[in-house]
Amino acid sequence: MNKDPKLVIILLGPPGVGKGTQAMKISKELKLPHISTGDILRANIKENTELGKKAKSIIEAGNLVSDDLINDMVFDRVKKQDCEKGYILDGYPRTTAQANTFLEEAKVNTKILVINFFAENETVVSRICGRLVCKGCSAVFHQEFNPPKADGVCDHCGGTLYQRPDDQKETVMNRLEVYKKNTQPLIELFTQKNLLKTINCEQSPQEVFNETLALIR
Ligand code: AMP
């Protein structure tokens, strides 16, 4: 008997556009795991694993970790049982090589939807530069646009909020360049494969969420 296809939702878009925030909300709503390659890498850095040691300086400079390391890390994660019905990818794929490898691996009984989150450069820079992230659950806040109820404390789990080292302005500019050069071409690639829908993220997080859900459903 044929199983229902797995639903894979890929969130594409520049750093700071709100992928992480939306991924968490969609994950809760659809009961699908949220897989953020950035979060997995940061956890490896914190635990000082071999992968973490290799990735630390690359991430802090705002560059990309090698395709092989990232692909292995993602395939290891998505073969876990909680991904059986599907999952949400946040921050992967980020290069044409990653996208092609993923499409090849995922082609059996899988429905892929790529959501391209779009916002102007100035918007993403201002969102990243005031961003605060929870050390415990990775929830995202913003000093000005979405402040936590208590200073420096996560509303959800009580964890400590911090500014990511790669969210400093100089690194952000490099990350945006890296996005333009390496990741933006995926918009064309996924459009040609008829997998991509775009959402304007100049709206409030709730409006973006409503549109995203409508698209998925
Ligand atoms: P993010 O949390 O998605 O902004 O990712 C933080 C950093 O982790 C990026 O700037 C990269 O250095 C690294 N990273 C995350 N995902 C990938 C990926 N798919 N390919 C290469 N590097 C990645």
Side-chain angles (χ1 to χ4, degrees):
M1 204 170 59
N2 273 347
K3 280 205 297 188
D4 282 342
K6 206 178 253 198
L7 175 64
V8 175
I9 300 170
I10 295 177
L11 302 183
L12 198 64
V17 76
K19 297 187 297 295
T21 305
Q22 295 299 329
M24 280 190 179
K25 284 158 91 75
I26 305 166
S27 164
K28 212 166 155 192
E29 180 75 24
L30 301 183
K31 300 188 176 55
L32 292 177
H34 165 205
I35 300 176
S36 155
T37 43
D39 283 350
I40 302 176
L41 290 166
R42 282 184 288 277
N44 274 274
I45 293 175
K46 200 167 148 193
E47 285 154 24
N48 208 21
T49 65
E50 282 311 306
L51 173 61
K53 284 183 208 159
K54 285 185 192 148
K56 188 170 189 289
S57 60
I58 302 173
I59 294 182
E60 284 176 0
N63 294 321
L64 293 183
V65 177
S66 80
D67 290 334
D68 287 347
L69 285 178
I70 295 286
N71 284 333
D72 287 350
M73 184 181 98
V74 170
F75 295 131
D76 249 21
R77 176 65 187 89
V78 303
K79 68 181 185 229
K80 299 220 163 110
Q81 217 202 326
D82 63 335
C83 294
E84 212 173 48
K85 292 205 166 87
Y87 47 88
I88 301 155
L89 288 172
D90 161 14
Y92 176 90
R94 253 179 162 97
T95 64
T96 305
Q98 290 177 16
N100 286 329
T101 307
F102 184 77
L103 289 174
E104 186 55 32
E105 283 282 323
K107 67 184 177 203
V108 180
N109 206 30
T110 304
K111 164 127 188 57
I112 297 178
L113 171 65
V114 183
I115 304 180
N116 173 37
F117 284 154
F118 169 81
E120 300 293 345
N121 247 22
E122 306 86 81
T123 309
V124 297
V125 171
S126 67
R127 283 183 190 165
I128 303 184
C129 290
R131 178 157 73 177
L132 297 167
V133 182
C134 175
K135 280 190 177 164
C137 70
S138 305
V140 181
F141 296 83
H142 190 282
Q143 277 158 357
E144 199 184 323
F145 312 135
N146 177 28
K149 291 192 183 100
D151 248 9
V153 181
C154 176
D155 292 358
H156 309 293
C157 75
T160 308
L161 302 182
Y162 77 113
Q163 186 187 37
R164 280 169 42 178
D166 59 341
D167 278 353
Q168 322 267 346
K169 191 140 192 192
E170 312 76 68
T171 316
V172 168
M173 292 307 168
N174 184 43
R175 285 165 65 202
L176 288 172
E177 280 304 309
V178 167
Y179 173 77
K180 226 163 134 185
K181 180 161 169 266
N182 298 281
T183 312
Q184 209 154 269
L186 301 188
I187 296 175
E188 182 59 31
L189 186 150
F190 287 127
T191 303
Q192 275 173 10
K193 296 191 182 292
N194 219 3
L195 299 173
L196 184 130
K197 306 271 183 214
T198 294
I199 290 189
N200 175 8
C201 293
E202 294 287 339
Q203 321 174 70
S204 71
Q206 190 58 42
E207 285 167 318
V208 173
F209 179 58
N210 294 345
E211 260 194 47
T212 306
L213 269 192
L215 252 187
I216 296 169
R217 284 179 170 150

